[in-house]
Amino acid sequence: MRAARLIKMVLLLQNRATMTAAELAAELEVSERTVTRDALALSEAGVPVYADRGRTGGYRLVGGYRTRLTGLARDEAEALFLSGLPGALRDMGLQDAASAARLKVTAALLPSLADAPGSAARRFHLDAPGWYQEPRTPELLAPIAEAVWDDRPVAARYRRGDGEVERELEPYGLVLKAGVWYVCARAGSAYRTYRVDRFTAVAVGDGRFTRDPDFDLAAFWSERSAEFARSLLRAEVVLRLTEPGARRLPYVTDRAAAEEALAAGAAEEDGRLRVVLAVESEEVAFGQLLGLGAEAEVVAPAALRERFAEAARAMAARYR
């Protein structure tokens, strides 16, 4: 435990130049007294940790000291190579940089860990596209990835509806979702999401924009994708569900909407659960809920209920 903490302390000082005892204590989840003892232990072990006194002081490493990656355990070394996504890196034009990075990291590993890259590759593969979809790399993905990597603004044309619009964008990050690439960018003062395959022209600028340090790509994507999913649910249907129907509902329709409906459902005297389910449209709901068969009964709207009744009669006649 202490050895791992000492390594983390060295890495923190490498990345942040100078840190106070309070900052180190918060990062390492120990007391400031423990930080002092750990700094002394590192110094005695030959790591040049220096403590500056005074109000603006703190701990730092002397002489540009850098540690090597010889402290990696096997599971850590293998996890490092799990982060390599060859297909995505190739599509973004970053395969050469990734290959060079892997070679440098491999060269720094202990001989006993030399097989870690192959070990991880034999045990893990990411297949991002969904089933029955032919993955296609957007034509302009590489220049957009270049702009994201270097914090460069882009002047772009983007298909929207039946026409095209021009946008000046500051691209913050790329997201690969079920085989589809999206770029999250700042346009003016607002952050927006664009499908990369809808760009028709991209010109990468020479200058660099100042990235907002508080922008969190994962949090932004999670929030916006959830908002998008909710925005599609513009209609409601009332259902009576058997116990098996309630269990299967999240697998045939929007999971979040199904879970919300089930949580707010009311039990009826016959044991079925009455729920109000948000759906994209009656047409979409018909296709989704048909898969539940007799485990679900549509109560409302009346037109959708009648459509299910007609489908049931037609099915019965077909198999009579």
Side-chain angles (χ1 to χ4, degrees):
M1 178 68 76
R2 191 189 186 199
R5 189 175 72 241
L6 292 175
I7 291 172
K8 184 176 181 180
M9 182 174 179
V10 173
L11 294 174
L12 284 168
L13 293 175
Q14 280 186 188
N15 292 329
R16 304 192 192 179
T18 301
M19 295 183 69
T20 65
E23 290 170 338
L24 283 167
E27 287 283 351
L28 300 172
E29 297 181 344
V30 295
S31 67
E32 292 186 31
R33 185 181 294 274
T34 299
V35 168
T36 301
R37 287 198 297 265
D38 285 352
L40 180 60
L42 286 171
S43 182
E44 291 174 348
V47 178
V49 178
Y50 180 78
D52 286 319
R53 305 293 182 182
R55 188 172 55 183
T56 60
Y59 291 93
R60 61 184 176 86
L61 295 175
V62 179
Y65 175 86
R66 306 292 295 180
T67 186
R68 297 179 62 201
L69 294 177
T70 51
L72 287 175
R74 170 169 292 277
D75 59 342
E76 293 170 334
E78 291 180 348
L80 172 65
F81 287 92
L82 292 182
S83 63
L85 309 177
L89 291 169
R90 182 182 60 252
D91 293 345
M92 292 188 290
L94 299 175
Q95 70 272 29
D96 291 340
S99 177
R102 283 193 295 270
L103 286 172
K104 291 177 181 178
V105 172
T106 302
L109 294 175
L110 288 170
S112 61
L113 303 178
D115 66 335
S119 176
R122 287 192 298 270
R123 290 167 171 80
F124 178 82
H125 173 68
L126 176 67
D127 185 9
W131 287 104
Y132 315 116
Q133 296 180 14
E134 183 66 27
R136 296 181 179 179
T137 302
E139 202 173 306
L140 297 172
L141 176 60
I144 292 175
E146 176 191 348
V148 169
W149 193 259
D150 291 338
D151 292 340
R152 296 187 182 277
V154 299
R157 287 206 306 273
Y158 186 80
R159 287 196 309 274
R160 192 174 67 181
D162 296 331
E164 291 186 355
V165 294
E166 294 186 356
R167 291 286 184 267
E168 299 288 334
L169 303 175
E170 295 177 352
Y172 269 59
L174 285 163
V175 175
L176 178 60
K177 170 70 171 178
V180 180
W181 285 95
Y182 298 85
V183 60
C184 302
R186 183 164 59 186
S189 59
Y191 293 97
R192 304 184 186 281
T193 302
Y194 303 86
R195 277 184 62 142
V196 175
D197 58 6
R198 292 182 182 169
F199 285 97
T200 59
V202 170
V204 180
D206 293 328
R208 284 184 167 84
F209 63 85
T210 302
R211 179 179 287 265
D212 181 354
D214 295 328
F215 180 81
D216 185 325
L217 178 61
F220 173 80
W221 175 259
S222 177
E223 179 183 345
R224 290 303 172 89
S225 57
E227 288 177 359
F228 176 72
R230 286 194 298 269
S231 72
L232 295 177
L233 306 179
R234 301 186 180 96
E236 289 183 343
V237 297
V238 181
L239 305 172
R240 289 194 186 101
L241 299 168
T242 64
E243 186 175 338
R247 286 199 305 268
R248 290 167 52 193
L249 184 65
Y251 298 97
V252 301
T253 186
D254 180 83
R255 177 176 290 273
E259 291 175 349
E260 185 177 333
L262 292 171
E268 299 197 329
E269 291 183 0
D270 61 0
R272 290 187 294 176
L273 186 68
R274 186 184 183 97
V275 302
V276 179
L277 176 68
V279 296
E280 186 174 342
S281 66
E282 290 185 22
E283 181 68 29
V284 171
F286 177 76
Q288 293 173 334
L289 299 175
L290 200 59
L292 295 179
E295 307 300 341
E297 176 193 354
V298 174
V299 178
L304 183 60
R305 178 181 174 86
E306 179 55 32
R307 187 171 178 182
F308 271 91
E310 290 177 2
R313 289 191 291 268
M315 188 72 73
R318 178 69 65 189
Y319 285 94
R320 182 173 298 127

